[in-house]
Amino acid sequence: MAADKTEVGGAFSASRFIFKLDGLKLERFKSVSGVVIGVEVRETTTCDANGNWSISKTAGNPKTPKIRVTRGMEKSAEVTQWIKDVYGANVSQKKTPASIIFMTDAGDKGEKLTVNLINAWVSSWSAGDLSSDNINGTVDETFEIECERIEFGQ
């Protein structure tokens, strides 16, 4: 067997990612978590006439993730408006494409991995803790994004 000569790009950086909402490139967020692609695992257990048990596993329905995003509250007005539009509205009319772009250490010119969130919408929002002891005086907000499926993009 021939050796694999595929070269791998730079390491992905945990601090370099971009969020896009409906194709609009937005600010870099403090954190994004919950980006998971998976399927349900279905198990079927059988026992033969001799008392031997076996378990068969098959793939079930795809699972949809709950993406958790944290950012400073003073950031992009487009994301804030999207959150406001979904709250109390007909969610099916406010679902929109969104993407998370993972950057390499080379920055904007480096290779990237794009994860597209199909028909995304905000299911919850919360403000960070407010405290007079807060040294830098900033307040973060966290919101959770639901989507119908995830696809890898270019």
Side-chain angles (χ1 to χ4, degrees):
M1 178 163 68
D4 184 6
K5 298 195 184 229
T6 304
E7 291 187 27
V8 178
F12 288 107
S13 172
S15 64
R16 292 190 180 128
F17 57 92
I18 297 170
F19 183 76
K20 281 189 177 182
L21 181 62
D22 203 11
L24 178 65
K25 182 177 174 181
L26 302 171
E27 83 276 354
R28 296 173 192 247
F29 289 87
K30 288 188 174 188
S31 69
V32 176
S33 62
V35 182
V36 177
I37 296 176
V39 295
E40 295 173 346
V41 177
R42 295 183 180 158
E43 293 185 359
T44 305
T45 306
T46 57
C47 182
D48 65 19
N50 296 324
N52 298 316
W53 290 92
S54 67
I55 298 173
S56 173
K57 293 185 179 186
T58 58
N61 295 324
K63 293 180 182 179
T64 56
K66 183 175 291 210
I67 311 294
R68 189 173 177 91
V69 178
T70 301
R71 70 180 188 144
M73 287 183 79
E74 71 283 354
K75 300 293 182 179
S76 125
E78 291 85 0
V79 174
T80 301
Q81 190 58 51
W82 181 49
I83 294 168
K84 287 178 182 179
D85 287 347
V86 170
Y87 184 75
N90 182 351
V91 172
S92 64
Q93 294 176 359
K94 299 300 178 182
K95 291 179 181 179
T96 191
S99 300
I100 301 165
I101 303 166
F102 298 84
M103 310 301 289
T104 65
D105 285 336
D108 289 340
K109 294 184 175 146
E111 294 179 30
K112 28 185 164 296
L113 170 68
T114 300
V115 176
N116 296 314
L117 310 176
I118 309 303
N119 290 329
W121 55 281
V122 176
S123 62
S124 70
W125 174 93
S126 64
D129 293 339
L130 304 174
S131 171
S132 60
D133 295 337
N134 190 336
I135 295 170
N136 63 12
T138 62
V139 177
D140 290 340
E141 66 180 338
T142 300
F143 55 95
E144 292 183 337
I145 300 173
E146 303 285 343
C147 65
E148 293 177 2
R149 74 178 184 278
I150 282 185
E151 295 177 351
F152 288 110
Q154 300 282 342

